[in-house]
Amino acid sequence: MAPQPVVTGLSPKEGPPGTRVIIRGEFLGTKATDLLGLKICGFDCLLSAEWVSPNKIIARTGPAKGIGDIIVTTRSGGEGISAVQFRALGHHETIGPLKESAVWIDEAPSQNFAWGRRTLVQSGLTPDDPLGLSTEGNEKKNVENLRELFPNASGDLSQENFSPALFLLENHSSTTFADLKAGLNYLNRKVESQKEGQLSFLKSNAGSVIEQLDTLMSIKEKLQADQSQYGTQALNVLEQEIESSIKESENIFTDVLLRKEKADSTRAVLLALSRHKFLFCLPNTVEKRALAGEYDMVVNDYARAKSRFGKTEIPIFVKVMEEVDQRILQIRRQLHENVIKMPQSVEQQRKLIKALISLEVQQQTGTSINDKLRNIDPAWDAIDARAKYMEKTFKQTFEQFAGKDAQGGEKSKNRDLTQPPNRVLFCEELCEIAAAQLPDLWRLGQMYFTGELRGPNDPRPGDFKRMVLNAIEKYCVYLKVAICATDAEARSLRQSVGFVWPISHSSHDIFKSWLPQCLRYTRITYATLISLDLPSPALDIVQKFIDETRLQCFSNIFEKATQKCSKLGENELWEMGVEDFPGATLLPQRMEELLIETLDEAQQSCINPEIREGNLMETESDGQREVSLRLQKFLLCFCDVIQELAFDSHKEEIPTHNVSQLLGYPNNQQNNTLTSGRFASFSSSAAVTWEQRMLCCLANCAYCNKSFFHRVGKLFERYGYPLSSLAIETARYSVNKLFSNILDAYVEHKGDPLVGTIEPSMYLGAFQWDAEMNIGHLRPYAHECCDNLVAVYSEIYTISPALLRPILEPIVLTISEELARLMSCVQQFSPTGAVQANVDIRLLRDALRLYTNDTGRNYFMEALEAINPPLNSEQIKKADEILDQVKERMKLQLMCFAVKEP
């Protein structure tokens, strides 16, 4: 199959029906019979097509109209495509001398008509070329180049400066000389035929000529008959009648003309009313549409009237336009009132402002009315109205909720604690108002400064910035008044809001637990403001308030935790479960659990910073100082709990004295009652004696000082808090001081009665050291002293062996001092008394050597040196034998003191 036909060239490219068109391209058919179809602008032109070559086809266009493709269809290649288009001119389009055209239009009519009878000879089409030659293959020369050779000549036959040479160059540059000679012969024959045309015309129209001659003869006969009948003056009578008819017709015509003028005037008025109905109805139209809120239609109608009749000098139009201007001025006043009327949405304000600005611009053009709104900036007035409305809403909301608290203060005791207080509800409501109205104010301002809503006046960015900052400051001040902790803080803010929120201690304590909720509301509003891309000074105001509130939340959380810590002693079960430090109860662990719970709550509610919030734990910041202060109070509160457990609780159980068994007053055995097993928990708090509580408290103090407080500091570091060395050291100092106080109280409670029984027991039964006595045993007072110390040792060792040295050392020191005093008071020892005293003192010294300090050892030495006269060698030998025997008999008691503390 042959390639598809392609049309690439066309000459000419436009023309009326019947235009001769030369089509050029490729694969336009192998021969004439191969051409099956040709469409120009959709019209089939195959009948007029003349196939020349595979690259050329000549045809005439049909009665098509518009621009279309040239589609060639061949038997060998099928339907083709066109790379060019032809513009067909319609039948009604006449190409005259003043209309541009890309083609030469034949001016000869297709048919000749004559007045009178129709000729029988039809005239044919005028030949394309006066020489009768075909112009195919003769490309028309460039006119501009030929004009340079023939500057004052033309190749057009119809022109006076026609030049045959230019004509031949333009149309027959490729024609052979023989063809030109044939064309000259054709032109000569045509001229000869035109010379013979008059005679042939008469021959062909002889009937018409005879009829005209007959008519002329008939007219002559009738004219002669009239003269003989009416005379030669008949024309005068006719002239008079004609003149009379002319006058009468003029009168009639004048009357008709007057009526016609009136009718035309009336018709013109009605037509003017009909044509300008829009203008005459405009005053009522704009008023109705303004009442309906269709301000866009008002602007369009007014702009249309101003463009058509704004500069008119016709009185009626001028009067109507003045009425329209007055109505528009009223609408502008109404629009301005609606713009500053709140509340309303930003979109509604935007619509009103744009309408107001458009009306103002239109009315200022060519209007002489007194416009009092000329210098008003509606967009700025809308911004100012919105800002004032927001501040008014803030104040009304504050007064509403504060008034409720003032009226319901007496009923606050009976209120439901699960329901949020009015101050929390106020914070929620105020944050919702700010989150809704501050973005509207900012968007309206941005529309104003970007030029969307700007009128002829200059913008005021400084005033707008102060307006936004003032609104945000008011928002934060009202929140500060609502969440302030004391009356003094509230009174300091009274000047800003003009009203003080009534604060009671009970209501404020309830509000503290709701403060994180208020912080959450504020953070939601802050996130909304951040999304608006507000300037940093505006956001910094809210950020500062949020940081202060976060710090206050942290303080409240730790204050609540401190209160809980102060009540830990109420539920103390005296369970000892600290493996690293026997004797310490689970009280520090419970405090640690409370601290972890508090830190978790603080992290979740206020410590963790959200978007564009500061770090409260920065070095040398208020947050770091507050954390140190709160931790210090918390740990000191725990020290107070230990002190309360040691001294304030169960005061009625503290024994007042401890009488010697030798004197007939046995000790209270309940004081030595211990639970079975070492380091075990007590069965119940009621079974725990005062001495055991004191020992547990001492163990807790020692445990806190040694490792627990350091663990608390590490716990704070694990949560991201800076290590507060001051708080830890202050707490350790306090717990050490408490340890000393409890230790002194316990030593005093145990040591004073024990030492006080030494002298009465020593001289029981009128015993005297200067009298002779049986020796070989230990004196009862020394036995009793050892037994009492074994009881104290057993009580301490059962609870916390680590406390043996801190407690026994001062008691032993007191015993040694008492023995030194008693021995120094004896004037004279008998030989046996001296040996007995030496044995007693040396036994106590050797038994208690692990818990005797240098001072105690000196006192024991003073006691031995006070024996007078000093022992000789035999007495010393005897004392050594007795001492060995006594130690063997008291081996079980002495083993207690020989066990080293863990």
Side-chain angles (χ1 to χ4, degrees), residues 778 783 786-787 790 843 846-847 849 882-899:
L778 197 66
H783 264 295
C786 285
D787 292 341
V790 168
L843 177 71
D846 294 344
R849 68 183 183 277
I882 296 173
L883 181 62
D884 292 338
Q885 295 173 2
V886 171
K887 286 183 178 180
E888 183 66 23
R889 289 193 296 268
M890 296 182 63
K891 183 178 181 179
L892 183 62
Q893 290 94 328
L894 297 180
M895 284 177 61
C896 294
F897 300 113
V899 178

Side-chain angles (χ1 to χ4, degrees), residues 484-496:
C484 58
T486 62
D487 291 335
E489 293 178 2
R491 284 192 293 271
S492 65
L493 296 171
R494 180 172 185 175
Q495 184 177 1
S496 300

Side-chain angles (χ1 to χ4, degrees), residues 754 785-794 808 811 815 848 897:
L754 189 150
C785 184
C786 285
D787 292 341
N788 287 336
L789 284 174
V790 168
V792 174
Y793 182 95
S794 175
L808 290 179
I811 295 176
I815 291 173
L848 302 174
F897 300 113

Side-chain angles (χ1 to χ4, degrees), residues 333-460:
R333 294 193 184 99
Q334 179 184 354
L335 277 174
H336 188 268
E337 294 175 358
N338 293 338
V339 162
I340 62 177
K341 184 179 180 181
M342 299 297 295
Q344 61 178 316
S345 65
V346 176
E347 290 300 322
Q348 181 66 20
Q349 274 189 314
R350 172 176 170 272
K351 178 182 177 182
L352 297 177
I353 292 171
K354 293 186 74 173
L356 189 56
I357 292 175
S358 299
L359 291 176
E360 180 181 359
V361 172
Q362 293 293 337
Q363 197 163 32
Q364 287 179 357
T365 305
T367 303
S368 60
I369 61 172
N370 185 15
D371 189 357
K372 296 181 180 180
L373 301 176
R374 187 180 299 274
N375 296 324
I376 293 179
D377 192 345
W380 180 255
D381 292 345
I383 294 172
D384 185 63
R386 185 168 288 277
K388 291 180 179 178
Y389 172 75
M390 182 167 53
E391 293 185 10
K392 179 181 177 182
T393 307
F394 286 166
K395 185 176 181 181
Q396 289 177 348
T397 306
F398 177 81
E399 293 176 350
Q400 175 187 355
F401 284 92
K404 288 181 181 179
D405 259 11
Q407 297 173 2
E410 299 178 356
K411 302 178 182 179
S412 60
K413 297 181 180 180
N414 302 325
R415 65 183 305 276
D416 187 1
L417 298 181
T418 60
Q419 297 296 324
N422 283 329
R423 287 201 282 174
V424 178
L425 297 176
F426 165 73
C427 292
E428 180 181 7
E429 182 69 19
L430 191 69
C431 289
E432 289 180 356
I433 294 173
Q437 296 191 18
L438 277 172
D440 290 345
L441 177 63
W442 180 255
R443 283 196 295 268
L444 193 61
Q446 293 305 301
M447 293 179 189
Y448 175 69
F449 289 107
T450 55
E452 181 179 355
L453 301 180
R454 189 187 305 169
N457 299 319
D458 295 332
R460 291 179 275 184

Side-chain angles (χ1 to χ4, degrees), residues 87 128 146 264 350 370 669 682 711 838 863-864:
R87 179 172 177 266
D128 293 334
L146 295 177
D264 291 342
R350 172 176 170 272
N370 185 15
Q669 296 300 321
F682 302 106
R711 211 161 108 199
N838 182 275
L864 291 173

Side-chain angles (χ1 to χ4, degrees), residues 21-319:
V21 178
I22 299 175
I23 303 171
R24 298 186 182 277
E26 296 178 352
F27 314 113
L28 302 181
T30 58
K31 54 186 177 179
T33 56
D34 192 29
L35 184 63
L36 298 180
L38 174 63
K39 290 185 178 181
I40 301 176
C41 295
F43 185 80
D44 191 358
C45 302
L46 182 61
L47 294 176
S48 63
E50 179 184 351
W51 184 87
V52 179
S53 68
N55 298 325
K56 180 178 179 181
I57 297 176
I58 300 175
R60 289 190 178 273
T61 60
K65 183 180 179 182
I67 300 175
D69 295 333
I70 293 86
I71 306 299
V72 177
T73 305
T74 62
R75 191 185 308 275
S76 58
E79 185 175 345
I81 58 175
S82 176
V84 295
Q85 290 183 320
F86 182 79
R87 179 172 177 266
L89 304 176
H91 289 284
H92 62 283
E93 296 188 35
T94 302
I95 304 302
L98 299 180
K99 187 169 184 180
E100 295 182 357
S101 176
V103 298
W104 176 268
I105 304 301
D106 293 337
E107 298 180 355
S110 59
Q111 291 182 345
N112 292 327
F113 296 93
W115 295 101
R117 296 177 183 177
R118 177 173 297 178
T119 59
L120 301 177
V121 180
Q122 295 289 336
S123 63
L125 292 174
T126 303
D128 293 334
D129 188 77
L131 298 177
L133 299 175
S134 175
T135 60
E136 294 179 16
N138 292 286
E139 298 297 336
K140 196 167 185 178
K141 296 293 183 180
N142 191 340
V143 178
E144 298 296 331
N145 295 335
L146 295 177
R147 284 179 180 175
E148 294 178 1
L149 300 175
F150 302 92
N152 297 322
S154 173
D156 188 359
L157 292 170
S158 61
Q159 300 297 324
E160 294 181 358
N161 58 346
F162 171 72
S163 172
L166 181 58
F167 172 77
L168 292 176
L169 288 174
E170 286 181 352
N171 299 281
H172 296 283
S173 59
S174 300
T175 305
T176 62
F177 184 72
D179 292 337
L180 291 176
K181 289 173 64 177
L184 177 60
N185 294 332
Y186 170 77
L187 184 58
N188 291 329
R189 288 194 303 271
K190 188 176 180 180
V191 172
E192 291 297 331
S193 63
Q194 287 180 357
K195 291 180 179 179
E196 297 176 357
Q198 297 178 0
L199 182 59
S200 61
F201 174 78
L202 291 177
K203 289 180 178 179
S204 60
N205 296 283
S208 298
V209 174
I210 294 172
E211 288 179 0
Q212 293 172 6
L213 291 175
D214 293 341
T215 303
L216 290 174
M217 292 301 295
S218 175
I219 292 173
K220 180 180 178 182
E221 293 174 355
K222 289 181 179 181
L223 181 58
Q224 291 175 353
D226 288 338
Q227 288 181 354
S228 61
Q229 182 178 358
Y230 298 104
T232 58
Q233 300 299 325
L235 292 177
N236 294 333
V237 176
L238 179 59
E239 183 181 1
Q240 293 176 359
E241 292 297 331
I242 290 174
E243 290 178 356
S244 176
S245 299
I246 290 173
K247 291 180 180 179
E248 186 64 24
S249 63
E250 287 179 354
N251 293 333
I252 295 174
F253 179 75
T254 301
D255 184 48
V256 172
L257 188 60
L258 291 175
R259 289 200 301 266
K260 181 179 179 298
E261 288 178 355
K262 291 182 179 179
D264 291 342
S265 299
T266 305
R267 193 179 300 108
V269 172
L270 294 176
L271 181 61
L273 290 175
S274 178
R275 283 184 60 187
H276 305 294
K277 179 181 179 181
F278 159 75
L279 177 63
F280 294 111
C281 297
L282 187 58
N284 293 330
T285 301
V286 295
E287 189 171 358
K288 290 179 181 179
R289 287 180 173 171
L291 293 176
E294 299 175 354
Y295 296 108
D296 293 340
M297 299 297 295
V298 174
V299 172
N300 293 336
D301 291 346
Y302 185 62
R304 179 183 170 191
K306 292 291 287 185
S307 63
R308 293 182 59 184
F309 305 102
K311 298 181 180 180
T312 184
E313 296 180 357
I314 301 176
I316 185 63
F317 290 166
V318 173
K319 185 176 181 180

